[in-house]
């Protein structure tokens, strides 16, 4: 599919309707709480064996390479504005990572707003990383959009606890839930997917009792000294792009090993889209993880 078709489809289907209006966003949260959607993976995921356990109320899925070879682990946090459930594109990417890198991928089905908050979810995701590292070896973090916020906040949480994630992969991450960056105004009309007013409703609910500038909520306000390597994918037709640029600047100042990928004219979470640019980004994710694993195993 052409990169030029995606924005049109998003506008025709009004994909951003719940992000544009605070009242509609509130109604959407209420509807999802009353009528949650299915979250299970397709039975047709290729190259992996799928299992699930229920731990303290969370369904936690494990995608294991079908050939049984494991070189490490990865924990994937899905996006969806902290209110939308995991979708097919998330499962497909998680399965591809597992099958093509020989990582055991853990996919937590974390509680969404209005039931889940950053203070509840981020430390639990961090715990999954340490558990996977103990069981499988070098373990990475990845997430898209809202899941990118969870992944980066978890990486900071782990760093503070003395555990460095070797690499965190962020796909169009939410970084500052206040959406105060003045550069966002210039992007709003170009973004067919997200919006500020509804996004603020979701962000405030997700922050719970924490400040919206707490790094558990908005990782842009964290201290990046001593953080492991980070890969970022962002498109310029995404209102989260201005904060991604700020993140890149702060990480470079902190001497973080940063692989920053900004694509002009591309939309939110473009690596998950069925486009040539999305396919290229997915290949880059696989290549990056393979290189990290090769380096880690050569040292050990």
């Amino acid at each position: 599919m052409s990169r030029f078709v995606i924005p049109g489809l998003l506008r025709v289907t009004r994909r951003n309707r719940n992000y544009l209006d605070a009242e509609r966003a509130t109604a959407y949260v209420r509807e999802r709480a009353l009528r949650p959607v299915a979250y299970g993976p397709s039975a047709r995921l290729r190259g992996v064996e799928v299992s699930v356990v229920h731990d303290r109320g969370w369904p936690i899925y494990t995608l294991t390479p079908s050939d049984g070879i494991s070189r490490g682990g990865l924990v994937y946090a899905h996006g969806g504005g902290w209110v939308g459930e995991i979708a097919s594109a998330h499962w497909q990417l998680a399965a591809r990572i597992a099958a093509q890198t020989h990582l055991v991928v853990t996919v937590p089905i974390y509680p969404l707003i209005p039931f889940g908050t950053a203070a509840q979810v981020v430390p639990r995701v961090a715990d999954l990383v340490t558990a996977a590292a103990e069981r499988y070896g070098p373990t990475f973090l990845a997430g898209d959009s809202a899941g990118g916020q969870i992944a980066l906040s978890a990486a900071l949480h782990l760093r503070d606890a003395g555990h460095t994630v070797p690499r965190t992969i962020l796909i169009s991450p939410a970084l500052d839930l206040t959406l105060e960056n003045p550069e966002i105004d210039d992007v709003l009309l170009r973004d067919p997917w997200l919006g500020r007013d509804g996004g603020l409703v979701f962000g405030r609910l997700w922050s719970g009792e924490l400040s919206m500038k707490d790094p558990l909520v908005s990782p842009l306000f964290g201290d990046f000294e001593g953080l492991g390597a980070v890969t970022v994918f962002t498109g310029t037709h995404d209102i989260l792009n201005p904060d991604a640029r700020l993140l890149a600047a702060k990480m470079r100042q902190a001497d973080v090993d940063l692989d920053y990928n900004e694509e002009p004219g591309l939309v939110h979470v473009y690596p998950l889209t069925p486009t040539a640019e999305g396919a290229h980004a997915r290949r880059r994710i696989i290549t990056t993880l393979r290189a990290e694993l090769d380096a880690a195993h050569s040292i050990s």
Side-chain angles (χ1 to χ4, degrees):
M1 184 181 295
S2 167
R3 60 182 289 183
F4 302 107
V5 173
I6 295 294
L9 285 175
L10 293 171
R11 293 189 189 281
V12 167
T13 58
R14 300 180 65 216
R15 184 60 180 263
N16 62 353
R17 61 187 178 275
N18 295 315
Y19 288 89
L20 294 178
D21 178 81
E23 184 176 346
R24 186 182 289 274
T26 302
Y28 181 61
V29 173
R30 184 169 58 250
E31 174 65 17
R32 289 281 68 83
L34 288 171
R35 300 174 181 86
V37 300
Y39 54 75
S42 166
R44 296 188 295 274
L45 291 182
R46 296 181 179 179
V48 294
E49 299 293 332
V50 182
S51 62
V52 64
V53 298
H54 289 254
D55 180 25
R56 289 175 282 170
W58 289 27
I60 299 174
Y61 284 82
T62 301
L63 308 184
T64 304
S66 294
D67 60 12
I69 300 173
S70 168
R71 303 184 69 199
L74 181 142
V75 176
Y76 191 92
H78 72 83
W82 309 281
V83 66
E85 195 50 270
I86 189 170
S88 174
H90 301 126
W91 284 118
Q92 292 293 336
L93 178 58
R96 177 173 181 149
I97 290 171
Q100 296 188 10
T101 65
H102 290 100
L103 290 171
V104 178
V105 177
T106 301
V107 182
I109 307 300
Y110 57 89
L112 304 170
I113 57 175
F115 307 112
T117 65
Q120 296 169 319
V121 171
V122 171
R124 281 286 308 276
V125 170
D127 288 345
L128 291 174
V129 174
T130 55
E134 291 173 0
R135 184 169 183 179
Y136 307 118
T139 295
F140 306 89
L141 263 166
D144 67 282
S145 192
Q149 175 270 312
I150 293 170
L152 183 53
S153 290
L156 292 169
H157 185 76
L158 285 161
R159 185 276 318 274
D160 291 344
H163 182 112
T164 300
V165 178
R167 183 172 293 272
T168 301
I169 295 176
L170 306 173
I171 299 171
S172 302
L175 298 166
D176 175 5
L177 275 59
T178 72
L179 298 176
E180 290 177 347
N181 190 329
E183 301 298 324
I184 290 173
D185 292 336
D186 296 331
V187 187
L188 274 169
L189 292 178
R190 300 198 303 270
D191 187 339
W193 200 315
L194 302 180
R196 177 181 274 136
D197 292 347
L200 284 172
V201 171
F202 302 149
R204 288 176 185 135
L205 288 169
W206 182 247
S207 64
E209 296 182 358
L210 295 176
S211 164
M212 290 184 76
K213 294 188 176 182
D214 189 300
L216 279 180
V217 177
S218 296
L220 185 62
F221 298 102
D223 171 14
F224 300 109
E225 295 286 343
L227 195 67
V230 175
T231 294
V232 177
F233 294 92
T234 179
T236 61
H237 285 198
D238 178 356
I239 65 169
L240 304 184
N241 172 253
D243 285 339
R245 293 179 174 182
L246 290 181
L247 178 74
K250 293 184 70 172
M251 286 190 166
R252 288 173 181 136
Q253 188 173 13
D255 291 325
V256 173
D257 178 359
L258 176 66
D259 173 26
Y260 182 76
N261 303 273
E262 179 178 290
E263 292 295 335
L266 295 191
V267 298
H268 185 60
V269 298
Y270 77 86
L272 295 175
T273 63
T275 62
E277 294 80 10
H280 176 76
R282 292 189 292 273
R283 288 193 295 270
R284 187 173 181 88
I285 291 170
I286 298 300
T287 300
T288 298
L289 289 170
R290 284 174 172 167
E292 288 283 348
L293 286 166
D294 289 345
H297 286 288
S298 67
I299 292 172
S300 61

